[in-house]
Amino acid sequence: MACIKVDYDKCTGLGICESLAPEFFEVSDDGNLTLLEEEAGPDALDDVREAVAGCPTEALSLKE
Amino acid sequence: MSLTTEHARPSYDPVSLSPLSFWAKSPAEREEDYAVLRRERPVSWHPPAEGSMMPPQEGGGFWAVTRHADIAAVSKDPETFCSGEGIQMEDVPLDILEAVSSFLATDAPRHTKLRKLVSSAFTPKRVKKIEDQIKDQARRLVDHLVETGDCDFVEHVSRRLPQWTIFEMVGVEDQETREIATHAADGMVSWADEDVRAGREPAELLTESLMQLINVALDLAEARRAEPRDDLMTNLVQAEVDGESLTDEEIAAFFCLLSIAGNDTTRNTISSTMRQLTLNPDQRAYLVEDYDARIGTAIDEFVRWATPVMTFRRTATRDTELQGQRIREGDWVVLFYASGNADTEVFDEPGRFDLSRTPNPHIGFGGGGPHYCMGNQLAKAQLRAIFHELLTRAPDIEADEPVYLAGNFMQAIKSMPCRLNLG
Ligand code: HEM
Ligand code: SF4
């Protein structure tokens, strides 16, 4: 299991993470990011890693 | 003069990025100069940009950052490299900067609050909602193109989809006003181009364009105050920041930013891509073979190749160091995105238009950090829709030599003839 962390001070709510791993990230209509799942199992890890790497503001991190 | 306390500047770099003649060259010629800088002097000191509207400061100048990794590092460190002191590589009169840049030229915490007022319209869910409309619009545009036949691609295709999309979202309804606003937004980034200026002084063109944009913005704001709708202008007139409504000036600045950022960037990416697909028939064939599966990856290469935004500036908030150069508080630091997107440290054979390039960590939408392009997903939705229509309905369409806009900010194609070859 890997644990996802969001730095809400850095997040600008554009949802590039959501487009890469929609089961984990959702930007709601008020523009705030909600973490749908905090833990990523082995199946989802690739998608989540891609989302973490794809975040332009470095707001996401993964503790494995 | 005390060189002991204020350490001396290096001399100006022999490869100069400042003169108008540098910006009048073709993108490929500019790349030859960037390549030298990236390899030998990745952070270099240059005289103030030629042709500015403001008298240059004595001994002034800017640092040019040309490597991909350094552009990303500066972009992601807004505390050291801020945007609030201006974002263009030349001095722009401060009132104009404020009037057009909105949150683009601000720093946290204000940046965060202002950006949030509109960013919720650009999330994946909201982009998906408008995506069907974008597809319809792309289809109508290509219907029109097929009827028209050989014509100027910019006027008939690339200009139209971004214009429709951004003004549909903001809430500008009639086509005539959309045209006025697009024309004015273009004027804001074209002051260095003699053709566009047509005898006017740069400042004259800027002021005239700005007044037009502000008028459209304020008329629309008034209409939405009287009768709210489901659009961005309604959000803005209803918004509060720290318990206060936005002023008319702030609303107009939002409108200017969205009109400029939403139009020219995507337009030039569409034009540039059409030209590259003409020059690289193998890549076109590769894309068409499995469009839906390949377009996502291809779009990043479209944007890397086009890099419509060539430069943005930051200002150092403290003394610091970059690639061994000592940067002083207050120094200007200019990010050369086009150079970063051709950096061989990051891209294999950057001179190839390779639609299967993966990974493709281009910095066409910015080097990351808080100002990263808010419209990136919207732009991608438009590129996907328009090339789907074009390559299905006019599969043999070709674009001839483009005519570029002069200037150091937008890599813009003013016009480009196309042939439909419909057989
Ligand atoms: C292919 C098309 C586009 C490209 C290449 C592009 C490029 C860029 C770049 C380089 C930046 C600056 C990033 C930075 O300073 O780190 C930016 C910012 C921005 N872009 Fe785009 N852009 C495109 C399309 C759009 C569209 C369609 C919109 C829609 C409104 C848009 C809205 C914005 C806004 C509002 C900002 C300022 C964000 C901020 O300061 O927080 N862009 N864009
Ligand atoms: S990609 Fe990064 S900045 Fe964007 S919503 Fe996700 S976490 Fe926030």
Side-chain angles (χ1 to χ4, degrees):
Chain A
M1 277 293 173
C3 183
I4 307 168
K5 287 255 174 308
V6 183
D7 180 343
Y8 287 99
D9 286 340
K10 285 188 173 169
C11 172
T12 52
L14 269 185
I16 291 172
C17 51
E18 177 179 332
S19 62
L20 296 167
E23 305 84 56
F24 291 86
F25 307 97
E26 182 176 358
V27 181
S28 48
D29 283 344
D30 62 7
N32 292 316
L33 175 67
T34 314
L35 198 52
L36 302 173
E37 298 276 349
E38 289 186 6
E39 308 241 297
D43 292 354
L45 209 53
D46 276 354
D47 284 355
V48 172
R49 279 210 190 99
E50 223 182 298
V52 170
C55 169
T57 66
E58 295 183 332
L60 299 177
S61 55
L62 201 57
K63 259 220 193 93
E64 293 185 46
Chain B
M1 210 159 87
S2 64
L3 283 177
T4 40
T5 47
E6 284 194 20
H7 57 266
R9 296 286 188 198
S11 45
Y12 291 131
D13 200 284
V15 174
S16 186
L17 308 180
S18 307
L20 291 172
S21 59
F22 174 78
W23 297 101
K25 293 191 210 181
S26 72
E29 289 168 324
R30 282 198 292 268
E31 168 51 22
E32 290 172 18
D33 287 343
Y34 292 144
V36 173
L37 291 174
R38 277 197 309 270
R39 199 170 50 236
E40 293 168 17
R41 300 178 300 278
V43 175
S44 52
W45 179 246
H46 296 266
E50 186 193 342
S52 296
M53 273 156 282
M54 313 273 284
Q57 290 163 312
E58 204 180 322
F62 63 86
W63 297 101
V65 181
T66 46
R67 280 194 193 160
H68 185 282
D70 295 328
I71 295 171
V74 168
S75 304
K76 287 175 181 164
D77 184 3
E79 275 162 25
T80 313
F81 300 102
C82 74
S83 295
E85 308 269 320
I87 38 136
Q88 306 260 243
M89 70 180 272
E90 63 268 308
D91 236 342
V92 176
L94 202 63
D95 49 338
I96 293 196
L97 178 74
E98 280 178 3
V100 299
S101 310
S102 187
F103 57 96
L104 177 60
T106 60
D107 298 302
R110 190 155 179 84
H111 170 258
T112 321
K113 289 176 189 160
L114 290 176
R115 177 166 164 140
K116 198 135 224 184
L117 295 180
V118 282
S119 71
S120 58
F122 294 84
T123 59
K125 259 194 265 15
R126 297 290 286 271
V127 170
K128 202 156 268 152
K129 256 188 210 157
I130 176 167
E131 198 161 4
D132 281 338
Q133 285 174 278
I134 293 176
K135 283 184 193 155
D136 284 347
Q137 192 58 24
R139 186 158 29 74
R140 279 196 287 273
L141 280 180
V142 176
D143 286 344
H144 165 86
L145 174 71
V146 168
E147 262 167 47
T148 308
D150 299 356
C151 60
D152 176 20
F153 187 79
V154 177
E155 183 58 41
H156 290 270
V157 182
S158 24
R159 192 171 193 273
R160 296 195 183 196
L161 189 60
Q163 178 189 62
W164 182 87
T165 307
I166 190 63
F167 290 135
E168 191 72 14
M169 290 177 76
V170 174
V172 181
E173 282 169 334
D174 68 290
Q175 184 55 26
E176 197 186 331
T177 314
R178 288 178 176 187
E179 269 304 322
I180 293 171
T182 307
H183 190 73
D186 290 352
M188 297 302 303
V189 297
S190 310
W191 56 264
D193 192 283
E194 283 177 14
D195 249 17
V196 179
R197 253 186 9 236
R200 290 167 293 184
E201 286 299 313
E204 221 177 311
L205 175 65
L206 265 185
T207 315
E208 194 183 294
S209 307
L210 181 60
M211 291 318 295
Q212 283 172 336
L213 277 174
I214 291 178
N215 284 339
V216 173
L218 296 184
D219 284 352
L220 184 61
E222 199 176 298
R224 290 302 178 269
R225 279 195 192 104
E227 203 183 309
R229 297 263 180 90
D230 182 15
D231 57 30
L232 275 172
M233 187 52 92
T234 304
N235 293 2
L236 290 176
V237 298
Q238 294 176 346
E240 285 190 1
V241 175
D242 299 330
E244 286 182 41
S245 314
L246 297 177
T247 63
D248 275 354
E249 287 76 24
E250 285 171 327
I251 290 176
F254 264 104
F255 183 80
C256 291
L257 172 59
L258 294 173
S259 302
I260 298 170
N263 265 302
D264 226 6
T265 50
T266 313
R267 177 196 313 163
N268 291 314
T269 308
I270 296 173
S271 305
S272 149
T273 302
M274 191 64 251
R275 177 67 178 159
Q276 288 311 313
L277 291 173
T278 304
L279 296 176
N280 299 276
D282 59 319
Q283 293 300 308
R284 179 199 296 237
Y286 165 83
L287 177 59
V288 169
E289 206 174 77
D290 195 354
Y291 189 86
D292 289 340
R294 293 176 179 171
I295 185 64
T297 302
I299 282 174
D300 279 316
E301 186 71 347
F302 295 175
V303 176
R304 183 185 76 89
W305 198 272
T307 314
V309 179
M310 295 189 287
T311 57
F312 263 131
R313 167 169 63 95
R314 302 292 191 260
T315 305
T317 59
R318 58 179 177 83
D319 292 356
T320 183
E321 209 180 288
L322 205 58
Q323 291 289 354
Q325 299 281 23
R326 294 176 66 183
I327 312 235
R328 286 189 226 158
E329 179 180 344
D331 277 1
W332 287 15
V333 176
V334 179
L335 310 175
F336 285 79
Y337 299 117
S339 173
N341 275 342
D343 192 338
T344 46
E345 290 290 315
V346 179
F347 304 102
D348 265 353
E349 293 187 69
R352 260 185 60 208
F353 182 68
D354 175 4
L355 298 185
S356 64
R357 192 182 288 281
T358 32
N360 189 342
H362 68 82
I363 46 175
F365 290 121
H371 293 277
Y372 189 83
C373 178
M374 203 176 77
N376 75 88
Q377 295 170 94
L378 188 66
K380 287 178 173 178
Q382 295 182 58
L383 290 163
R384 180 187 289 269
I386 194 69
F387 283 102
H388 172 77
E389 286 299 323
L390 283 169
L391 296 174
T392 332
R393 313 261 310 282
D396 297 318
I397 183 172
E398 290 178 297
D400 291 334
E401 196 70 47
V403 180
Y404 287 98
L405 182 83
N408 59 30
F409 176 50
M410 279 281 174
Q411 180 144 293
I413 294 176
K414 282 195 288 192
S415 62
M416 183 174 73
C418 73
R419 282 166 288 117
L420 269 55
N421 302 322
L422 285 175

